[in-house]
Amino acid sequence: MQSFPMLINGELVQGNRTLNVINPATEEVFQQITCADESQFEQAIAAAKGAFAQWQTVDMQTRRDSLNKLADALEAQTGVFAELLTQEQGKPLAESTAEVGFSCAFIRYFAQSELPIETYQDDETSKIELHRKPLGVVAGVVPWNFPLMIGCFKLAPAVLSGNTFILKPPATTPLCVLKLADICQQIFPKGVVNIITDNNDLGHILSAHPDVAKVAFTGSTPTGKKIMSAASGTLKRLTLELGGNDAGIVLPDVDPKKIAPAIFATAFMNCGQVCIALKRLYVHEDIYDDLVHELSELANSAVVGNGLHDGVTFGPIQNKAQFVKVQEYLADAKDNGVIAAGGEVLDGPGFFMRPTIVRDVTDGCKVVDEEPFGPILPVIKYKTIDDAVERANNSVFGLGGSVWSNDLDKAYEVAKRLECGTSWINQHLNFGPTVPFGGAKESGIGVEFAQEGLLEYTQVHVINIAKQTF
Ligand code: NAD
């Protein structure tokens, strides 16, 4: 067992409660750590509030340097973080290594971003400028599927724009985020970055607190709604990156064998536990059987096991509650469709389920209409493109969507009709620091990444000067 202290007001501190962290590949308590109680949440908020007065005046270059140091230190320990991430989250080591790399890339992107003053008018009579000021204390609340990367892509823009920050990882994957505490303590002035964890039970303190100016949240839609409600009392700024049920539409002109690997990878990455995974696949009737066959072959060849073991391509589901939930979707799939591949939960220990392809299923059942957030892909047959688009859009979610075709012009016309934050063509799940990302409908509010994402961590401040003297 190692010690994973929190970071409050520049001090590495133990929490007042204990928390068991379970390795989902073994179901063993892999680390016993401490987590914060209410008083420590209050301390973290007070520390961030106290540090804001000074940090907002610190020049941009100093903030940039701090973020670059953070990225360098994280990168230098890539192997350590990746192994820890696989142990707490479950994903294969190669995916964990990629997550550490992505985390560094996001930090470095924001480290070189600018917040220039924009001049709206400058003539003999007046000058009007738009400044971007920090908001104050920002809380970053993150989920268990990409805890390190999501934590980093909230921390970096918050701190770069002059806010102070509280980062709260989820109870089932707190370790990599807590491991950042040590690095952050050496880089940032006390109180600028605070890292605390809970037992998934104290996040509401951040959402409701009068001294927290913004919550940048990634997680489920039901939790997003609770945060929005709790935040209303103080009209807190919110970014909500929530659940999704992304549809992919495959046109009849593609070669099923050639296209199947890309579709499979985007549906099953991280065991399907990706907000922008492809979660419903609409396939034209002409190629339906062939594509189901190709996807099933890929599912059958997946090597399921402990992500630390060589050759494993498919880790466990991250936690017991999610494992149980996914089995309910599996039962629904069996009731409403035909299992073409997978469909089995493996004997324990470990929350393992084989990647599952469901065929002869259609809209109107849980596994198609809801977000299983696990290794199940329903494949739905369609006849006309209008019907496929209508069904793809018939969802409360609107995170991403994709169109797959050799006719890029035709695909483009279909992609424009999808009601979602991102439409991909001949790909899915492609994201990065330079491209704005956000959800439509109940998949979220606001945008992250790129300049648009950075601006959401700022308050518009107009300075309107009349060039006259009295
Ligand atoms: P979750 O909503 O259960 O928890 C996310 C975080 O919110 C955790 O840190 C949790 O402790 C905290 N939390 C719980 N209740 C809270 C409250 N009342 N107030 C404040 N914080 C609270 O989500 P999860 O199960 O960890 O993650 C899976 C979900 O996240 C899926 O729906 C997935 O689609 C979604 N997700 C969305 C995106 C995106 O960018 N849109 C990215 C990743 C995951």
Side-chain angles (χ1 to χ4, degrees):
M1 299 276 170
Q2 298 168 43
S3 161
F4 286 89
M6 304 184 295
L7 179 62
I8 300 178
N9 204 24
E11 304 285 334
L12 295 174
V13 296
Q14 294 299 330
N16 292 334
R17 301 187 292 164
T18 56
L19 181 68
N20 288 336
V21 183
I22 290 168
N23 180 334
T26 63
E27 293 184 55
E28 284 167 1
V29 175
F30 137 74
Q31 293 290 341
Q32 196 168 50
I33 63 165
T34 61
C35 69
D37 65 6
E38 295 186 19
S39 70
Q40 290 175 310
F41 267 65
E42 291 291 343
Q43 286 166 22
I45 295 167
K49 185 183 179 189
F52 177 62
Q54 177 63 24
W55 183 250
Q56 66 171 327
T57 67
V58 165
D59 63 280
M60 281 291 261
Q61 191 53 47
T62 303
R63 292 185 217 155
R64 288 183 205 295
D65 292 346
S66 303
L67 288 174
N68 282 321
K69 278 186 203 160
L70 173 60
D72 291 348
L74 178 56
E75 189 175 58
Q77 293 187 66
T78 295
V80 176
F81 271 89
E83 194 169 315
L84 188 62
L85 187 56
T86 291
Q87 286 172 296
E88 65 172 336
Q89 205 281 334
K91 66 189 66 172
L93 196 54
E95 289 186 26
S96 292
T97 305
E99 180 168 343
V100 180
F102 259 84
S103 305
C104 296
F106 272 105
I107 297 169
R108 290 194 174 115
Y109 168 79
F110 286 113
Q112 55 79 53
S113 298
E114 304 276 354
L115 284 171
I117 296 168
E118 292 172 60
T119 303
Y120 274 65
Q121 188 177 328
D122 189 6
D123 54 28
E124 317 76 60
T125 60
S126 68
K127 183 169 187 184
I128 302 174
E129 291 178 343
L130 191 148
H131 295 231
R132 295 282 177 172
K133 293 173 79 169
L135 296 163
V137 177
V138 173
V141 179
V142 307
W144 45 257
N145 56 348
F146 294 92
L148 181 65
M149 181 183 71
I150 294 175
C152 289
F153 72 53
K154 295 183 189 305
L155 183 156
V159 166
L160 189 270
S161 46
N163 303 284
T164 53
F165 192 62
I166 300 167
L167 179 55
K168 194 204 82 61
T172 58
T173 57
L175 301 178
C176 282
V177 172
L178 288 171
K179 202 168 166 52
L180 285 178
D182 192 25
I183 301 174
C184 289
Q185 187 207 28
Q186 293 167 41
I187 293 173
F188 294 101
K190 69 176 189 174
V192 171
V193 173
N194 302 273
I195 301 180
I196 52 175
T197 194
D198 64 349
N199 197 5
N200 282 346
D201 53 354
L202 297 182
H204 61 275
I205 296 176
L206 300 169
S207 327
H209 205 288
D211 291 335
V212 174
K214 171 181 171 109
V215 176
F217 172 74
T218 300
S220 65
T221 296
T223 306
K225 288 178 180 176
K226 282 187 205 160
I227 289 175
M228 194 169 183
S229 167
S232 68
T234 52
L235 284 185
K236 222 175 277 321
R237 274 43 179 172
L238 293 175
T239 307
L240 302 175
E241 296 292 355
L242 308 178
N245 192 15
D246 289 13
I249 300 176
V250 187
L251 305 194
D253 61 39
V254 299
D255 178 341
K257 198 173 189 65
K258 285 190 183 152
I259 211 158
I263 290 177
F264 185 83
T266 54
F268 289 103
M269 183 191 179
N270 197 17
C271 209
Q273 301 165 127
V274 185
C275 56
I276 42 171
L278 202 168
K279 295 185 179 127
R280 297 175 283 157
L281 188 65
Y282 292 89
V283 180
H284 191 270
E285 59 183 357
D286 288 356
I287 55 165
Y288 183 84
D289 288 337
D290 288 345
L291 189 51
V292 167
H293 172 75
E294 296 298 335
L295 291 170
S296 301
E297 295 273 294
L298 292 165
N300 289 333
S301 66
V303 182
V304 179
N306 187 325
L308 286 184
H309 296 169
D310 281 348
V312 165
T313 58
F314 220 84
I317 291 168
Q318 199 281 313
N319 59 70
K320 179 96 183 248
Q322 188 64 18
F323 189 48
V324 170
K325 193 172 146 197
V326 172
Q327 287 176 66
E328 289 166 13
Y329 284 104
L330 181 59
D332 183 74
K334 288 177 177 171
D335 286 348
N336 292 286
V338 174
I339 303 296
E344 305 143 49
V345 168
L346 304 191
D347 287 340
F351 307 131
F352 293 109
M353 183 177 142
R354 287 206 62 83
T356 296
I357 305 290
V358 188
R359 62 167 296 156
D360 302 331
V361 63
T362 192
D363 311 63
C365 60
K366 271 167 68 81
V367 75
V368 177
D369 295 354
E370 299 179 13
E371 180 192 36
F373 213 60
I376 303 185
L377 179 66
V379 187
I380 304 137
K381 195 184 284 183
Y382 76 85
K383 281 183 199 294
T384 69
I385 196 67
D386 286 348
D387 181 41
V389 170
E390 191 183 322
R391 288 200 264 166
N393 287 338
N394 185 21
S395 172
V396 294
F397 295 114
L399 200 52
S402 57
V403 186
W404 304 74
S405 171
N406 289 325
D407 183 338
L408 291 184
D409 292 336
K410 202 171 187 177
Y412 180 72
E413 291 307 315
V414 178
K416 284 195 295 183
R417 295 169 64 191
L418 296 179
E419 296 168 357
C420 52
T422 304
S423 286
W424 289 277
I425 294 174
N426 291 340
Q427 58 176 348
H428 202 112
L429 210 161
N430 184 350
F431 72 99
T434 59
V435 184
F437 172 74
K441 301 192 266 187
E442 292 194 15
S443 285
I445 291 181
V447 176
E448 290 193 295
F449 316 161
Q451 190 67 9
E452 285 86 344
L454 177 65
L455 295 183
E456 295 216 2
Y457 287 87
T458 66
Q459 171 65 47
V460 166
H461 183 204
V462 173
I463 300 188
N464 191 333
I465 306 160
K467 290 184 181 173
Q468 58 179 317
T469 51
F470 298 98

Short mmCIF file of all heavy atoms in Angstrom, two decimals, residues 7-11 43-58 62-63 66-67 70 136-140 154-156 158-167 184-185 187-195:
data_model
loop_
_atom_site.label_atom_id
_atom_site.label_comp_id
_atom_site.label_asym_id
_atom_site.label_seq_id
_atom_site.Cartn_x
_atom_site.Cartn_y
_atom_site.Cartn_z
N LEU A 7 -4.12 17.28 -1.69
CA LEU A 7 -3.39 18.56 -1.66
C LEU A 7 -4.38 19.66 -1.28
O LEU A 7 -5.31 19.95 -2.04
CB LEU A 7 -2.77 18.84 -3.03
CG LEU A 7 -1.99 20.16 -3.19
CD1 LEU A 7 -0.77 20.20 -2.26
CD2 LEU A 7 -1.54 20.35 -4.64
N ILE A 8 -4.18 20.22 -0.09
CA ILE A 8 -5.04 21.32 0.36
C ILE A 8 -4.14 22.44 0.85
O ILE A 8 -3.31 22.23 1.74
CB ILE A 8 -6.00 20.87 1.49
CG1 ILE A 8 -6.91 19.72 1.02
CG2 ILE A 8 -6.84 22.06 1.97
CD1 ILE A 8 -7.87 19.19 2.10
N ASN A 9 -4.31 23.61 0.26
CA ASN A 9 -3.55 24.79 0.65
C ASN A 9 -2.03 24.54 0.66
O ASN A 9 -1.33 24.95 1.57
CB ASN A 9 -4.02 25.29 2.03
CG ASN A 9 -3.71 26.77 2.21
OD1 ASN A 9 -3.58 27.51 1.23
ND2 ASN A 9 -3.57 27.20 3.45
N GLY A 10 -1.57 23.85 -0.34
CA GLY A 10 -0.13 23.61 -0.48
C GLY A 10 0.42 22.50 0.40
O GLY A 10 1.62 22.21 0.36
N GLU A 11 -0.42 21.87 1.19
CA GLU A 11 0.04 20.80 2.07
C GLU A 11 -0.49 19.45 1.57
O GLU A 11 -1.65 19.36 1.16
CB GLU A 11 -0.52 20.98 3.50
CG GLU A 11 -0.21 22.30 4.16
CD GLU A 11 1.23 22.37 4.62
OE1 GLU A 11 1.82 21.31 4.89
OE2 GLU A 11 1.77 23.50 4.67
N GLN A 43 -12.10 23.36 3.65
CA GLN A 43 -10.72 23.86 3.69
C GLN A 43 -10.17 24.07 2.27
O GLN A 43 -9.47 25.05 2.00
CB GLN A 43 -9.82 22.86 4.42
CG GLN A 43 -9.99 22.83 5.93
CD GLN A 43 -9.32 21.60 6.56
OE1 GLN A 43 -8.43 21.00 5.98
NE2 GLN A 43 -9.78 21.23 7.74
N ALA A 44 -10.47 23.14 1.40
CA ALA A 44 -9.96 23.26 0.02
C ALA A 44 -10.58 24.48 -0.67
O ALA A 44 -9.88 25.23 -1.38
CB ALA A 44 -10.28 21.99 -0.76
N ILE A 45 -11.86 24.69 -0.44
CA ILE A 45 -12.52 25.85 -1.06
C ILE A 45 -11.93 27.15 -0.49
O ILE A 45 -11.62 28.10 -1.22
CB ILE A 45 -14.05 25.80 -0.84
CG1 ILE A 45 -14.64 24.59 -1.58
CG2 ILE A 45 -14.72 27.10 -1.30
CD1 ILE A 45 -16.08 24.24 -1.19
N ALA A 46 -11.73 27.17 0.83
CA ALA A 46 -11.16 28.38 1.45
C ALA A 46 -9.73 28.63 0.95
O ALA A 46 -9.34 29.78 0.69
CB ALA A 46 -11.17 28.22 2.98
N ALA A 47 -8.98 27.54 0.76
CA ALA A 47 -7.60 27.70 0.28
C ALA A 47 -7.60 28.27 -1.15
O ALA A 47 -6.83 29.18 -1.47
CB ALA A 47 -6.90 26.34 0.30
N ALA A 48 -8.47 27.74 -1.97
CA ALA A 48 -8.53 28.22 -3.36
C ALA A 48 -9.00 29.67 -3.40
O ALA A 48 -8.48 30.49 -4.17
CB ALA A 48 -9.47 27.33 -4.18
N LYS A 49 -9.95 29.99 -2.55
CA LYS A 49 -10.43 31.38 -2.50
C LYS A 49 -9.31 32.31 -2.04
O LYS A 49 -9.09 33.39 -2.61
CB LYS A 49 -11.62 31.46 -1.52
CG LYS A 49 -12.28 32.82 -1.50
CD LYS A 49 -13.40 32.89 -0.48
CE LYS A 49 -14.01 34.27 -0.45
NZ LYS A 49 -14.95 34.43 0.67
N GLY A 50 -8.57 31.86 -1.03
CA GLY A 50 -7.49 32.68 -0.49
C GLY A 50 -6.39 32.92 -1.52
O GLY A 50 -5.77 33.98 -1.57
N ALA A 51 -6.13 31.92 -2.35
CA ALA A 51 -5.03 32.02 -3.32
C ALA A 51 -5.41 32.83 -4.56
O ALA A 51 -4.54 33.27 -5.31
CB ALA A 51 -4.59 30.62 -3.75
N PHE A 52 -6.71 33.02 -4.77
CA PHE A 52 -7.15 33.63 -6.02
C PHE A 52 -6.65 35.08 -6.17
O PHE A 52 -6.22 35.49 -7.26
CB PHE A 52 -8.68 33.58 -6.13
CG PHE A 52 -9.23 34.25 -7.35
CD1 PHE A 52 -8.89 33.80 -8.62
CD2 PHE A 52 -10.06 35.36 -7.24
CE1 PHE A 52 -9.37 34.43 -9.76
CE2 PHE A 52 -10.54 36.00 -8.38
CZ PHE A 52 -10.19 35.53 -9.64
N ALA A 53 -6.69 35.83 -5.07
CA ALA A 53 -6.33 37.25 -5.17
C ALA A 53 -4.95 37.42 -5.80
O ALA A 53 -4.75 38.28 -6.65
CB ALA A 53 -6.38 37.87 -3.77
N GLN A 54 -4.03 36.59 -5.39
CA GLN A 54 -2.66 36.69 -5.89
C GLN A 54 -2.52 36.05 -7.28
O GLN A 54 -1.95 36.64 -8.20
CB GLN A 54 -1.71 36.00 -4.89
CG GLN A 54 -0.27 35.95 -5.30
CD GLN A 54 0.35 37.35 -5.43
OE1 GLN A 54 -0.14 38.30 -4.82
NE2 GLN A 54 1.37 37.47 -6.26
N TRP A 55 -3.07 34.83 -7.44
CA TRP A 55 -2.85 34.08 -8.69
C TRP A 55 -3.41 34.82 -9.91
O TRP A 55 -2.83 34.79 -10.99
CB TRP A 55 -3.45 32.68 -8.57
CG TRP A 55 -3.21 31.81 -9.76
CD1 TRP A 55 -4.14 31.39 -10.68
CD2 TRP A 55 -1.95 31.25 -10.18
NE1 TRP A 55 -3.53 30.60 -11.63
CE2 TRP A 55 -2.18 30.50 -11.35
CE3 TRP A 55 -0.65 31.32 -9.68
CZ2 TRP A 55 -1.18 29.81 -12.02
CZ3 TRP A 55 0.36 30.63 -10.36
CH2 TRP A 55 0.09 29.89 -11.52
N GLN A 56 -4.52 35.53 -9.73
CA GLN A 56 -5.11 36.22 -10.90
C GLN A 56 -4.22 37.35 -11.39
O GLN A 56 -4.38 37.82 -12.52
CB GLN A 56 -6.51 36.73 -10.56
CG GLN A 56 -6.56 37.82 -9.52
CD GLN A 56 -7.94 38.42 -9.39
OE1 GLN A 56 -8.70 38.52 -10.36
NE2 GLN A 56 -8.31 38.82 -8.18
N THR A 57 -3.29 37.81 -10.53
CA THR A 57 -2.41 38.91 -10.95
C THR A 57 -1.08 38.39 -11.51
O THR A 57 -0.29 39.16 -12.04
CB THR A 57 -2.07 39.83 -9.75
OG1 THR A 57 -1.27 39.08 -8.81
CG2 THR A 57 -3.32 40.34 -9.07
N VAL A 58 -0.85 37.09 -11.38
CA VAL A 58 0.42 36.51 -11.85
C VAL A 58 0.45 36.57 -13.37
O VAL A 58 -0.55 36.32 -14.04
CB VAL A 58 0.52 35.05 -11.33
CG1 VAL A 58 1.60 34.28 -12.07
CG2 VAL A 58 0.79 35.05 -9.83
N THR A 62 4.36 33.13 -16.28
CA THR A 62 4.57 32.31 -15.08
C THR A 62 3.56 31.16 -15.05
O THR A 62 3.90 30.02 -14.72
CB THR A 62 4.42 33.18 -13.81
OG1 THR A 62 5.36 34.24 -13.93
CG2 THR A 62 4.68 32.39 -12.55
N ARG A 63 2.32 31.47 -15.43
CA ARG A 63 1.30 30.41 -15.45
C ARG A 63 1.64 29.38 -16.52
O ARG A 63 1.50 28.17 -16.31
CB ARG A 63 -0.08 31.01 -15.74
CG ARG A 63 -0.59 31.89 -14.61
CD ARG A 63 -2.00 32.35 -14.95
NE ARG A 63 -2.23 33.71 -14.51
CZ ARG A 63 -3.12 34.54 -15.03
NH1 ARG A 63 -3.88 34.14 -16.04
NH2 ARG A 63 -3.29 35.74 -14.55
N SER A 66 4.38 27.13 -15.30
CA SER A 66 3.90 26.16 -14.30
C SER A 66 3.24 24.97 -15.00
O SER A 66 3.50 23.81 -14.65
CB SER A 66 2.87 26.80 -13.37
OG SER A 66 3.43 27.92 -12.74
N LEU A 67 2.43 25.27 -16.01
CA LEU A 67 1.75 24.17 -16.71
C LEU A 67 2.75 23.31 -17.48
O LEU A 67 2.63 22.08 -17.51
CB LEU A 67 0.67 24.73 -17.63
CG LEU A 67 -0.57 25.29 -16.92
CD1 LEU A 67 -1.52 25.94 -17.93
CD2 LEU A 67 -1.31 24.19 -16.16
N LEU A 70 4.35 21.01 -15.16
CA LEU A 70 3.43 19.92 -14.80
C LEU A 70 3.44 18.84 -15.89
O LEU A 70 3.56 17.64 -15.60
CB LEU A 70 2.02 20.48 -14.60
CG LEU A 70 0.89 19.46 -14.38
CD1 LEU A 70 1.14 18.62 -13.14
CD2 LEU A 70 -0.47 20.17 -14.26
N GLY A 136 -12.64 32.93 -10.60
CA GLY A 136 -12.44 32.75 -9.16
C GLY A 136 -12.05 31.31 -8.89
O GLY A 136 -11.14 30.77 -9.52
N VAL A 137 -12.78 30.67 -8.00
CA VAL A 137 -12.51 29.26 -7.69
C VAL A 137 -13.28 28.38 -8.67
O VAL A 137 -14.51 28.51 -8.80
CB VAL A 137 -12.95 28.93 -6.24
CG1 VAL A 137 -12.73 27.44 -5.95
CG2 VAL A 137 -12.20 29.80 -5.24
N VAL A 138 -12.58 27.51 -9.35
CA VAL A 138 -13.21 26.56 -10.28
C VAL A 138 -13.04 25.14 -9.72
O VAL A 138 -11.95 24.78 -9.25
CB VAL A 138 -12.57 26.64 -11.68
CG1 VAL A 138 -13.10 25.54 -12.59
CG2 VAL A 138 -12.82 28.01 -12.30
N ALA A 139 -14.11 24.38 -9.75
CA ALA A 139 -14.05 22.98 -9.33
C ALA A 139 -14.14 22.08 -10.56
O ALA A 139 -15.03 22.27 -11.40
CB ALA A 139 -15.19 22.65 -8.37
N GLY A 140 -13.22 21.14 -10.68
CA GLY A 140 -13.26 20.15 -11.75
C GLY A 140 -13.69 18.81 -11.18
O GLY A 140 -13.03 18.26 -10.29
N LYS A 154 -9.18 19.87 -17.52
CA LYS A 154 -9.90 20.92 -16.80
C LYS A 154 -8.92 21.80 -16.02
O LYS A 154 -9.07 23.03 -15.99
CB LYS A 154 -10.93 20.30 -15.86
CG LYS A 154 -12.04 19.55 -16.59
CD LYS A 154 -13.07 19.03 -15.62
CE LYS A 154 -14.08 18.09 -16.28
NZ LYS A 154 -14.79 18.65 -17.43
N LEU A 155 -7.95 21.18 -15.39
CA LEU A 155 -6.97 21.94 -14.59
C LEU A 155 -6.26 22.99 -15.45
O LEU A 155 -6.14 24.16 -15.06
CB LEU A 155 -5.95 20.97 -13.99
CG LEU A 155 -4.87 21.50 -13.06
CD1 LEU A 155 -4.36 20.40 -12.13
CD2 LEU A 155 -3.67 22.14 -13.77
N ALA A 156 -5.79 22.58 -16.64
CA ALA A 156 -4.92 23.46 -17.42
C ALA A 156 -5.60 24.76 -17.85
O ALA A 156 -5.06 25.85 -17.60
CB ALA A 156 -4.35 22.69 -18.62
N ALA A 158 -8.25 26.14 -16.60
CA ALA A 158 -8.70 26.89 -15.41
C ALA A 158 -7.55 27.72 -14.86
O ALA A 158 -7.68 28.93 -14.61
CB ALA A 158 -9.21 25.91 -14.35
N VAL A 159 -6.40 27.08 -14.68
CA VAL A 159 -5.26 27.74 -14.04
C VAL A 159 -4.61 28.75 -14.98
O VAL A 159 -4.20 29.83 -14.58
CB VAL A 159 -4.29 26.64 -13.56
CG1 VAL A 159 -2.95 27.20 -13.21
CG2 VAL A 159 -4.89 25.89 -12.37
N LEU A 160 -4.54 28.39 -16.27
CA LEU A 160 -3.93 29.31 -17.25
C LEU A 160 -4.68 30.63 -17.26
O LEU A 160 -4.07 31.70 -17.35
CB LEU A 160 -3.95 28.65 -18.64
CG LEU A 160 -3.21 29.26 -19.83
CD1 LEU A 160 -4.03 30.23 -20.63
CD2 LEU A 160 -1.84 29.86 -19.47
N SER A 161 -6.00 30.57 -17.15
CA SER A 161 -6.77 31.81 -17.24
C SER A 161 -6.86 32.54 -15.90
O SER A 161 -7.59 33.54 -15.81
CB SER A 161 -8.14 31.56 -17.87
OG SER A 161 -8.76 30.45 -17.30
N GLY A 162 -6.13 32.08 -14.89
CA GLY A 162 -6.02 32.85 -13.65
C GLY A 162 -6.96 32.44 -12.54
O GLY A 162 -7.02 33.09 -11.49
N ASN A 163 -7.68 31.34 -12.74
CA ASN A 163 -8.54 30.81 -11.68
C ASN A 163 -7.72 29.95 -10.73
O ASN A 163 -6.65 29.46 -11.09
CB ASN A 163 -9.65 29.93 -12.27
CG ASN A 163 -10.49 30.66 -13.28
OD1 ASN A 163 -11.33 31.48 -12.93
ND2 ASN A 163 -10.25 30.39 -14.56
N THR A 164 -8.22 29.76 -9.55
CA THR A 164 -7.66 28.71 -8.69
C THR A 164 -8.59 27.50 -8.78
O THR A 164 -9.74 27.62 -9.21
CB THR A 164 -7.49 29.20 -7.25
OG1 THR A 164 -8.74 29.72 -6.79
CG2 THR A 164 -6.42 30.28 -7.17
N PHE A 165 -8.08 26.34 -8.38
CA PHE A 165 -8.72 25.11 -8.85
C PHE A 165 -8.81 24.06 -7.75
O PHE A 165 -7.89 23.89 -6.95
CB PHE A 165 -7.88 24.58 -10.01
CG PHE A 165 -8.53 23.48 -10.81
CD1 PHE A 165 -9.72 23.70 -11.48
CD2 PHE A 165 -7.93 22.23 -10.89
CE1 PHE A 165 -10.31 22.69 -12.22
CE2 PHE A 165 -8.51 21.21 -11.63
CZ PHE A 165 -9.71 21.44 -12.30
N ILE A 166 -9.94 23.36 -7.77
CA ILE A 166 -10.12 22.18 -6.91
C ILE A 166 -10.46 21.02 -7.83
O ILE A 166 -11.42 21.09 -8.59
CB ILE A 166 -11.27 22.38 -5.90
CG1 ILE A 166 -10.97 23.59 -5.00
CG2 ILE A 166 -11.49 21.13 -5.06
CD1 ILE A 166 -12.17 24.06 -4.21
N LEU A 167 -9.67 19.97 -7.76
CA LEU A 167 -9.89 18.80 -8.62
C LEU A 167 -10.40 17.65 -7.77
O LEU A 167 -9.78 17.30 -6.77
CB LEU A 167 -8.57 18.43 -9.32
CG LEU A 167 -8.58 17.22 -10.24
CD1 LEU A 167 -9.65 17.34 -11.32
CD2 LEU A 167 -7.21 17.06 -10.90
N CYS A 184 1.97 18.82 -8.23
CA CYS A 184 1.39 20.17 -8.18
C CYS A 184 1.91 20.94 -6.96
O CYS A 184 2.09 22.16 -7.03
CB CYS A 184 -0.14 20.09 -8.14
SG CYS A 184 -0.84 19.56 -9.71
N GLN A 185 2.14 20.24 -5.86
CA GLN A 185 2.63 20.93 -4.66
C GLN A 185 3.96 21.62 -4.94
O GLN A 185 4.24 22.71 -4.43
CB GLN A 185 2.80 19.93 -3.50
CG GLN A 185 3.13 20.63 -2.19
CD GLN A 185 3.92 19.76 -1.23
OE1 GLN A 185 4.66 18.86 -1.64
NE2 GLN A 185 3.76 20.01 0.05
N ILE A 187 4.97 22.76 -7.80
CA ILE A 187 4.94 23.71 -8.92
C ILE A 187 4.12 24.96 -8.61
O ILE A 187 4.53 26.08 -8.94
CB ILE A 187 4.38 23.01 -10.17
CG1 ILE A 187 5.34 21.92 -10.65
CG2 ILE A 187 4.11 24.01 -11.30
CD1 ILE A 187 4.80 21.05 -11.77
N PHE A 188 2.95 24.78 -8.00
CA PHE A 188 2.02 25.91 -7.88
C PHE A 188 2.10 26.53 -6.47
O PHE A 188 2.30 25.81 -5.47
CB PHE A 188 0.59 25.44 -8.12
CG PHE A 188 0.35 24.97 -9.54
CD1 PHE A 188 0.31 23.62 -9.84
CD2 PHE A 188 0.19 25.90 -10.56
CE1 PHE A 188 0.11 23.18 -11.15
CE2 PHE A 188 -0.02 25.47 -11.87
CZ PHE A 188 -0.05 24.12 -12.16
N PRO A 189 1.90 27.84 -6.37
CA PRO A 189 1.79 28.46 -5.04
C PRO A 189 0.65 27.82 -4.25
O PRO A 189 -0.31 27.30 -4.84
CB PRO A 189 1.47 29.93 -5.36
CG PRO A 189 1.90 30.14 -6.77
CD PRO A 189 1.75 28.81 -7.46
N LYS A 190 0.75 27.88 -2.94
CA LYS A 190 -0.24 27.18 -2.13
C LYS A 190 -1.66 27.67 -2.40
O LYS A 190 -1.89 28.86 -2.56
CB LYS A 190 0.11 27.27 -0.64
CG LYS A 190 -0.02 28.61 -0.04
CD LYS A 190 0.25 28.52 1.47
CE LYS A 190 -0.12 29.86 2.11
NZ LYS A 190 -0.04 29.86 3.55
N GLY A 191 -2.57 26.72 -2.49
CA GLY A 191 -3.97 27.04 -2.70
C GLY A 191 -4.39 27.17 -4.15
O GLY A 191 -5.58 27.19 -4.46
N VAL A 192 -3.42 27.30 -5.07
CA VAL A 192 -3.79 27.49 -6.49
C VAL A 192 -4.41 26.21 -7.06
O VAL A 192 -5.42 26.25 -7.76
CB VAL A 192 -2.57 27.96 -7.31
CG1 VAL A 192 -2.88 27.95 -8.82
CG2 VAL A 192 -2.14 29.34 -6.87
N VAL A 193 -3.80 25.08 -6.76
CA VAL A 193 -4.37 23.79 -7.15
C VAL A 193 -4.59 22.96 -5.88
O VAL A 193 -3.65 22.77 -5.09
CB VAL A 193 -3.45 23.03 -8.12
CG1 VAL A 193 -3.98 21.62 -8.38
CG2 VAL A 193 -3.32 23.78 -9.44
N ASN A 194 -5.80 22.52 -5.69
CA ASN A 194 -6.13 21.66 -4.56
C ASN A 194 -6.72 20.37 -5.12
O ASN A 194 -7.50 20.41 -6.08
CB ASN A 194 -7.17 22.33 -3.65
CG ASN A 194 -6.67 23.67 -3.15
OD1 ASN A 194 -6.00 23.76 -2.14
ND2 ASN A 194 -6.98 24.73 -3.90
N ILE A 195 -6.34 19.24 -4.54
CA ILE A 195 -6.84 17.96 -5.05
C ILE A 195 -7.43 17.19 -3.86
O ILE A 195 -6.72 16.90 -2.89
CB ILE A 195 -5.70 17.16 -5.72
CG1 ILE A 195 -5.11 18.00 -6.87
CG2 ILE A 195 -6.22 15.82 -6.22
CD1 ILE A 195 -3.97 17.33 -7.62
#
